Amino acid sequence: MTATDPAPPVHPGYSDTKEAHLKRLRRIEGQVRGIARMVDEEAYCIDVLTQVSAVTRALQAVSLGLLEEHVAHCVVDAARESDEAAAVKVDEVVAAVTRLVRS
């Protein structure tokens, strides 16, 4: 590849499962609207908290799926490219896992 050649297109690791992720996120969005409605209607605190917990678990599941796909595709591809590229991707994963654990 020369300096004038365009860079190859970069596709996220979740490209093959994009529609499934979007479907799941739309479902979560509906759950969040439901929680807002519960608060607006002054639902019992524990019932609201139960729904918040369900949304939290659903978002965690999306996060873990995206993380798994990132490792399986982006990190593996970087490891095939070079040790340096792999190290960058591993650092990204560590930072992402740290954020997920702290949330």
Side-chain angles (χ1 to χ4, degrees):
M1 178 152 82
T2 67
T4 59
D5 289 339
V10 177
H11 299 286
Y14 60 84
S15 291
D16 293 340
T17 57
K18 175 181 171 180
E19 289 307 315
H21 286 301
L22 288 172
K23 182 178 178 181
R24 193 171 210 176
L25 288 167
R26 283 190 289 271
R27 193 171 337 136
I28 292 168
E29 183 180 21
Q31 287 178 284
V32 172
R33 282 194 305 272
I35 293 169
R37 192 170 37 257
M38 290 175 76
V39 170
D40 185 51
E41 295 171 359
E42 299 182 0
Y44 184 58
C45 302
I46 298 302
D47 293 341
V48 175
L49 290 169
T50 298
Q51 291 307 308
V52 168
S53 177
V55 167
T56 300
R57 286 190 312 271
L59 283 171
Q60 288 170 340
V62 169
S63 296
L64 290 174
L66 290 169
L67 181 63
E68 179 181 348
E69 290 166 337
H70 179 69
V71 170
H73 298 281
C74 303
V75 175
V76 168
D77 288 347
R80 289 181 180 134
E81 182 183 322
S82 70
D83 290 344
E84 294 80 17
V88 169
K89 292 298 180 189
V90 168
D91 288 345
E92 286 178 353
V93 169
V94 170
V97 169
T98 300
R99 287 190 303 273
L100 288 172
V101 169
R102 288 184 182 160
S103 63

